[in-house]
């Protein structure tokens, strides 16, 4: 346990300095640890006692620690345990974090992860709901990533969308536990908090994070939703980087009407929901800014679309022209030059998935010199045409550092 572990009377976390479990400690323990003050406690599911392995956020090196909030539906709520006797949830969390660590999310040469889990960071022996639970949205406000591990024994019974990719991730990731997740009040209020709560110390966090999905989402004032389930673990796939709950979809989910295991929790959920709502703003389509004599956008201005896409920058004759930034509701962000409403010139496109393109655009497509950095750190640099790598270039592999000279054709490296 952390040496600064307070007594039972002062064991509650203050929202300004929530407690996290170092991932290395979590992994070494071999199960999801239970925080509590009863020394004689033994859990009927695991046979394990209490083990307070968390410590205050302020004790971590902020420049080399990625703070992850774990949001999930407990496997054994009737047994008051988030996992089963096979440690299925624990294994999912460990695997997901280890795969996150394979990507270069932080600028530090060596960096690690700290986890916030209710079972591990909140005193489970408390008869009353601890203060940190009542201010859960503020805890989420101090996290960089929102992770949902999904225990999915029936993963073979459903398939990913194959035609045009994900249209609605929350509906199309059809694991039973994930669909149940969106019916539970605690889960939903956590997801809305991740999409709406301001990022604490935003400038400092952006300064220590590498380009990618985590940084892109935080730039927009929200957190990427990392989903990793049994399907991904069995297939050896990377976690999914879903965009935060889009604001036009938040209206579908009202935590006050969702299910709770203990009806006594509903008032607390409602308080958190009201605390979040002051940070959540309804999408109000329209334009504000300079206009010409005909009332069309001209000069500098901001436009919000009905779907939540937001453009801020320069206009001419009612169209995007010059330098501007378009933040898509999906979490994608384009910063750069425009011509007659299309991307044209130098630009940076940060995908919600973590991929980043830096280079030239012609008529809304990648064209000319450019660099495409995948979420896993691999980089293609060279000539692009009609939206993909085409011509001579280099392929740099993040894991090995190996650099290959290669010819690309419509995004495919020849010889592979």
């Amino acid at each position: 346990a952390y040496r600064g572990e307070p007594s039972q009377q002062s064991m509650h976390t203050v929202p300004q300095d929530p407690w996290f479990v170092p991932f290395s400690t979590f992994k070494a323990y071999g199960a999801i640890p239970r925080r509590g003050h009863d020394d004689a406690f033994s859990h009927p599911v695991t046979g394990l006692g209490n083990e307070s392995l968390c410590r205050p956020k302020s004790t971590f090196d902020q420049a080399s620690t990625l703070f992850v909030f774990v949001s999930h539906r407990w496997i054994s709520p009737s047994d008051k345990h988030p996992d089963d006797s096979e440690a299925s949830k624990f294994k999912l969390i460990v695997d997901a974090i280890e795969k996150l660590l394979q990507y270069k999310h932080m600028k530090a040469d060596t960096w690690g992860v700290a986890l916030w889990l209710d079972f591990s960071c909140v005193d489970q022996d408390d008869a009353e709901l601890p203060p940190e639970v009542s201010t859960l949205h503020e805890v989420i406000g101090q996290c960089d990533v929102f992770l949902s591990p999904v225990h999915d024994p029936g993963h073979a019974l459903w398939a990913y969308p194959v035609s045009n990719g994900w249209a609605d991730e929350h509906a199309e990731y059809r694991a039973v536990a994930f669909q149940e997740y969106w019916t539970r009040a605690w889960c939903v209020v956590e997801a809305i908090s991740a999409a709406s709560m301001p990022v604490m110390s935003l400038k400092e966090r952006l300064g220590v994070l590498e380009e990618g999905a985590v940084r892109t989402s935080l730039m927009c004032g929200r957190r990427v939703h990392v989903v990793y389930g049994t399907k991904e673990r069995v297939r050896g796939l990377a976690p999914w980087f879903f965009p935060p709950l889009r604001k036009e979809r938040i209206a579908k989910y009202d935590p006050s009407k969702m299910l709770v295991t203990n009806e006594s929790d509903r008032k607390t959920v409602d308080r958190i929901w009201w605390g979040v709502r002051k940070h959540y703003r309804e999408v109000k389509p329209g334009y504000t800014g300079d206009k010409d004599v005909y009332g069309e956008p001209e000069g500098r201005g901001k436009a919000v679309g009905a779907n939540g896409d937001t453009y801020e920058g320069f206009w001419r004759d009612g169209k995007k022209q010059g330098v501007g930034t378009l933040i898509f509701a999906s979490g994608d962000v384009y910063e750069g030059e425009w011509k007659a409403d299309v991307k044209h010139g130098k630009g940076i496109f940060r995908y919600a998935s973590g991929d980043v393109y830096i280079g030239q655009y012609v008529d809304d497509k990648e064209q000319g010199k450019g660099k495409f950095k995948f979420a896993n750190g691999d980089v293609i640099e060279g000539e692009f045409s009609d939206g993909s790598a085409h011509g001579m270039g280099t392929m740099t592999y993040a894991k090995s550092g190996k650099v290959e000279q290669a010819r690309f054709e419509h995004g495919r490296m020849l010889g592979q």
Side-chain angles (χ1 to χ4, degrees), residues 227-238:
V227 175
Y228 186 78
T230 307
K231 188 185 241 5
E232 290 72 48
R233 187 166 191 265
V234 169
R235 294 187 177 186
L237 301 176

Side-chain angles (χ1 to χ4, degrees), residues 18-29 31-35 51-57 60 65-68 70 97 112-122:
W19 290 46
F20 290 78
V21 181
F23 172 66
S24 56
T25 305
F26 178 87
K27 180 183 176 183
Y29 186 65
I32 299 178
R34 183 184 192 271
R35 186 184 184 190
E51 193 69 58
S52 298
L53 303 179
C54 53
R55 68 179 203 247
K57 182 182 180 184
F60 292 86
T65 305
L66 194 71
F67 294 96
V68 176
V70 180
I97 296 301
V113 168
L115 303 173
W116 194 97
L117 299 90
D118 45 12
F119 196 67
S120 304
C121 298
V122 176

Side-chain angles (χ1 to χ4, degrees), residues 85-241:
S85 58
E86 304 298 319
S88 300
K89 185 66 68 69
F90 169 79
K91 293 172 184 175
L92 283 170
I93 294 171
V94 169
D95 207 25
I97 296 301
E98 288 187 332
K99 289 184 175 178
L100 281 179
L101 287 167
Q102 292 176 6
Y103 302 161
K104 181 96 168 113
H105 290 297
M106 305 200 74
K107 293 180 179 178
D109 292 334
T110 303
W111 58 279
V113 168
L115 303 173
W116 194 97
L117 299 90
D118 45 12
F119 196 67
S120 304
C121 298
V122 176
D123 185 359
Q124 302 297 305
D125 293 327
D126 249 328
E128 298 181 359
L129 211 59
E132 63 263 40
V133 176
S134 300
T135 55
L136 199 59
H137 55 304
E138 295 182 17
V139 174
I140 293 172
Q142 299 205 41
C143 294
D144 304 309
V145 174
F146 190 70
L147 169 66
S148 289
V150 183
H151 178 53
D152 183 20
H155 64 90
L157 301 177
W158 63 278
Y160 302 130
V162 294
S163 55
N164 297 312
W166 301 94
D168 183 348
E169 301 86 357
H170 308 105
E172 294 172 346
Y173 190 94
R174 293 188 288 114
V176 172
F178 196 64
Q179 293 307 305
E180 289 180 350
Y181 177 96
W182 297 104
T183 69
R184 309 299 304 185
W186 279 112
C187 297
V188 169
V189 81
E190 289 169 2
I192 293 176
S193 298
S196 305
M197 287 299 294
V199 180
M200 291 195 63
S201 306
L202 175 59
K203 184 176 180 180
E204 289 80 1
R205 293 314 290 165
L206 293 180
V208 301
L209 293 168
E210 282 282 8
E211 294 280 5
V214 175
R215 192 176 189 278
T216 295
S217 289
L218 292 185
M219 281 177 58
C220 301
R222 46 198 185 178
R223 291 143 202 90
V224 66
H225 193 169
V226 177
V227 175
Y228 186 78
T230 307
K231 188 185 241 5
E232 290 72 48
R233 187 166 191 265
V234 169
R235 294 187 177 186
L237 301 176
W240 288 101
F241 283 65

Side-chain angles (χ1 to χ4, degrees), residues 3-66:
R3 291 185 180 180
E5 181 74 85
S7 64
Q8 176 186 347
Q9 289 73 23
S10 61
M11 198 168 181
H12 303 307
T13 318
V14 292
Q16 291 77 13
D17 196 14
W19 290 46
F20 290 78
V21 181
F23 172 66
S24 56
T25 305
F26 178 87
K27 180 183 176 183
Y29 186 65
I32 299 178
R34 183 184 192 271
R35 186 184 184 190
H37 59 265
D38 182 355
D39 293 336
F41 177 84
S42 177
H43 203 287
V45 172
T46 63
L48 297 173
N50 288 324
E51 193 69 58
S52 298
L53 303 179
C54 53
R55 68 179 203 247
K57 182 182 180 184
S58 60
T59 66
F60 292 86
D61 180 4
Q62 308 296 300
S64 62
T65 305
L66 194 71

